[in-house]
């Protein structure tokens, strides 16, 4: 099997699993309990909180553990809207956000909020002039993702942070794809809230975090016990938290090296595909993109058919977003960068990890070439196109 769907989820690193293991059957105490037995679990949680904070230049007491990226996004956007509604009911986001942000904004629109969806350019970069022009007296939140999950484009966070700060607006970023993969510093980038998820960075599923800058007064999302300084109720997921902490340590210790290594293999993949497969295109920014992301469109074919045939060769890939599979609508991200429906339908996202080898890429490209050729040979669109070329 060749796994090229690391943007959907990643393998738990062996070291991460080893770090988590004692917290299931041995150190299983509720960390909030007062007896000595619980002390070790709470110590491990504290250490993990420090590690996940350090990766983004935050303080440990600015980290709130959640059940994942979707919860963190929901919390940040809904709680900011609710807490600041006396100031205003206007939110700014982009057209290419993950559904965890987009659908949350659509929910708020039904509750009487107004949302401006700022457009992106052909590379998927948020248009800063449009963003600045969208700011109003009653704007309370700007939520723009750090890097896109489908096309890999990294956003100009510093510039976005400056617009937010200058206007006294909270800035939230969905950094689920970026956290642990590229350097992020919440102070340098002017970020007030940041979402991250364990399973996208070799940690376990079902754990995530929301960074909330000290002084930002958004309310709780989950009500109940006094965990997480009364801002996120629920018994702490000790193994998950320890796992995310270990994954953050691992990422921090190899960040520069991993980025270089993964990007080199990705660039080799991109070069081969564009050179050897006609009528193919790269989606997303040519340079400012996640090290592991390669997103393509192949004209005259259906992405779904491509995925099925790749799967028959043992290659795990995606058409873009796990959330859009099964629906016939093309991805909102590919439409937002200006692709026609027809082209957007032929999308393929290959997302690499530190473990992806050149041999795996060579095999994938060879199979991809054959599959694209085969699908085009039975495509009426391609037949029409060839006839027109001749005529
Ligand atoms: C995966 C993902 C999410 C959702 O995270 P979960 O932990 O799976 O809930 C949110 N935003 C982006 C950009 C993602 O890639």
């Amino acid at each position: 099997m060749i796994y090229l769907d690391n943007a959907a989820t990643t393998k738990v690193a062996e070291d991460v699993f080893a770090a988590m293991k004692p917290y299931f059957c041995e150190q299983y105490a509720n960390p909030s309990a007062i007896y000595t037995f619980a002390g070790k679990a709470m110590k491990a949680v504290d250490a993990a909180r420090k590690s996940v904070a350090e990766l983004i230049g935050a303080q440990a007491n600015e980290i709130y553990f959640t059940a994942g990226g979707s919860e963190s996004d929901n919390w940040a956007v809904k709680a900011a809207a609710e807490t600041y509604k006396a100031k205003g009911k206007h939110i700014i986001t982009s057209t290419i956000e993950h559904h965890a942000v987009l659908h949350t904004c659509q929910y708020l629109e039904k509750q009487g909020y107004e949302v401006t969806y700022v457009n992106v350019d052909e590379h998927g970069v948020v248009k800063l002039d449009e963003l600045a022009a969208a700011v109003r007296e009653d704007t309370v939140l700007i939520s723009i993702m750090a890097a896109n999950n489908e096309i890999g484009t990294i956003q100009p966070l510093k510039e976005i942070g400056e617009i937010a700060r200058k206007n006294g607006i909270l800035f939230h970023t969905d950094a689920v794809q970026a956290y642990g993969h590229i350097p992020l510093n919440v102070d340098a980038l002017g970020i007030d809230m940041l979402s991250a998820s364990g399973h996208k960075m070799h940690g376990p599923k079902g754990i995530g975090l929301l960074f909330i800058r000290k002084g930002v007064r958004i309310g709780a999302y989950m009500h109940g016990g006094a965990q997480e300084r009364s801002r996120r109720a629920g018994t702490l997921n000790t193994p998950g938290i320890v796992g995310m902490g270990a994954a953050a340590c691992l990422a921090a210790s190899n960040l520069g090296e991993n980025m270089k290594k993964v990007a080199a293999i990705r660039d080799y993949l991109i070069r081969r595909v564009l050179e050897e497969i006609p009528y193919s295109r790269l989606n997303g920014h040519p340079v400012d993109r996640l090290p592991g992301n390669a997103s393509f469109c192949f004209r005259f074919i259906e992405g779904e058919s491509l995925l099925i045939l790749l799967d028959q060769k043992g290659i795990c890939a995606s058409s873009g977003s796990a959330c859009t599979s099964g629906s016939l609508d093309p991805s909102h991200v590919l439409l937002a960068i200006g692709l026609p429906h027809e082209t957007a339908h032929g999308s393929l996202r290959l997302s690499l990890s530190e473990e992806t080898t050149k041999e795996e890429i060579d095999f994938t490209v060879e199979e991809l070439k054959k599959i694209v050729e085969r699908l085009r040979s039975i495509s009426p669109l391609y037949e029409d196109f060839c006839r027109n070329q001749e005529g």
Side-chain angles (χ1 to χ4, degrees):
M1 187 198 67
I2 297 179
Y3 187 74
L4 294 173
D5 201 16
N6 288 281
T9 198
T10 59
K11 181 171 115 177
V12 173
E14 295 295 340
D15 288 352
V16 169
F17 184 53
M20 292 171 69
K21 240 174 145 182
Y23 297 92
F24 287 100
C25 304
E26 296 156 38
Q27 300 296 335
Y28 54 82
N30 186 328
S32 310
I34 59 160
Y35 34 80
T36 315
F37 177 44
K40 271 204 177 152
M42 195 39 122
K43 243 183 157 165
V45 167
D46 288 342
R49 197 185 300 282
K50 194 156 171 279
S51 304
V52 298
E54 272 172 8
L55 193 52
I56 51 172
Q59 303 296 318
N61 61 7
E62 295 173 309
I63 299 294
Y64 298 83
F65 286 111
T66 65
S70 298
E71 186 193 322
S72 299
D73 285 344
N74 270 264
W75 181 9
V77 175
K78 285 180 194 165
E82 160 80 11
T83 307
Y84 293 90
K85 66 177 180 239
K87 181 193 167 198
K89 296 182 100 177
H90 180 239
I91 293 166
I92 301 173
T93 186
S94 84
T95 52
I96 63 162
E97 296 300 307
H98 188 274
H99 285 136
V101 168
L102 275 187
H103 289 168
T104 301
C105 286
Q106 286 161 12
Y107 163 80
L108 287 172
E109 282 179 298
K110 288 201 198 103
Q111 309 296 314
Y113 289 85
E114 274 184 81
V115 181
T116 302
Y117 299 88
V118 175
N119 289 302
V120 297
D121 68 14
E122 73 270 25
H123 296 310
V125 180
V126 165
K127 292 183 173 168
L128 290 172
D129 51 346
E130 250 188 56
L131 174 65
V135 172
R136 314 191 318 206
E137 276 295 307
D138 60 345
T139 308
V140 294
L141 176 72
I142 295 176
S143 181
I144 306 275
M145 69 199 323
N148 185 265
N149 47 302
E150 294 188 37
I151 60 174
T153 301
I154 298 168
Q155 299 299 334
L157 296 178
K158 188 161 181 280
E159 286 77 3
I160 298 168
E162 276 164 12
I163 293 172
R165 181 102 1 141
K166 203 175 69 191
N167 292 284
I169 300 167
L170 286 182
F171 174 30
H172 165 251
T173 189
D174 172 347
V176 172
Q177 289 289 331
Y179 182 87
H181 295 280
I182 57 171
L184 290 171
N185 183 295
V186 290
D187 289 339
L189 300 172
I191 296 165
D192 296 310
M193 294 185 279
L194 177 147
S195 305
S197 177
H199 76 97
K200 301 285 176 77
M201 35 96 65
H202 303 289
K205 294 166 183 60
I207 185 74
L209 63 83
L210 183 65
F211 154 80
I212 307 176
R213 181 177 292 285
K214 206 177 287 170
V216 170
R217 276 206 268 279
I218 67 158
Y221 179 59
M222 199 71 82
H223 301 277
Q227 293 91 352
E228 301 296 83
R229 281 143 285 151
S230 295
R231 272 175 135 176
R232 201 285 185 179
T235 300
L236 296 180
N237 172 1
T238 315
I241 290 168
V242 168
M244 192 162 177
C249 285
L250 209 60
S253 63
N254 300 312
L255 193 57
E257 211 176 291
N258 281 345
M259 283 175 65
K260 245 190 243 161
K261 183 175 145 193
V262 177
I265 296 187
R266 178 210 56 197
D267 290 341
Y268 171 73
L269 161 68
I270 292 174
R271 196 170 59 240
R272 279 203 65 184
V273 167
L274 297 183
E275 278 174 10
E276 298 175 37
I277 305 182
Y279 309 114
S280 59
R281 79 182 301 277
L282 176 72
N283 304 315
H285 199 281
V287 181
D288 295 328
R289 66 186 304 130
L290 290 169
N293 176 289
S295 165
F296 303 101
C297 279
F298 302 98
R299 283 175 67 192
F300 319 115
I301 59 176
E302 287 286 337
E304 293 278 304
S305 322
L306 202 55
L307 294 185
I308 291 163
L309 295 176
L310 282 169
D311 181 44
Q312 286 176 4
K313 299 292 173 186
I315 300 165
C316 305
S318 158
S319 60
S321 158
C323 316
T324 39
S325 70
S327 93
L328 287 174
D329 296 334
S331 131
H332 66 285
V333 177
L334 297 178
L335 296 181
I337 60 171
L339 295 186
H341 275 243
E342 228 176 80
T343 307
H345 270 300
S347 63
L348 175 71
R349 179 186 68 190
L350 301 174
S351 43
L352 289 59
S353 82
E354 299 75 18
E355 291 185 5
T356 307
T357 64
K358 183 165 173 291
E359 288 68 34
E360 288 178 322
I361 294 302
D362 282 329
F363 179 81
T364 302
V365 173
E366 290 308 325
E367 292 305 325
L368 190 58
K369 278 159 72 174
K370 285 186 260 181
I371 291 169
V372 169
E373 207 173 285
R374 187 169 138 208
L375 288 172
R376 280 182 181 158
S377 74
I378 55 167
S379 156
L381 285 173
Y382 189 59
E383 201 181 326
D384 284 351
F385 175 79
C386 293
R387 200 175 300 125
N388 286 338
Q389 293 286 91
E390 285 161 19

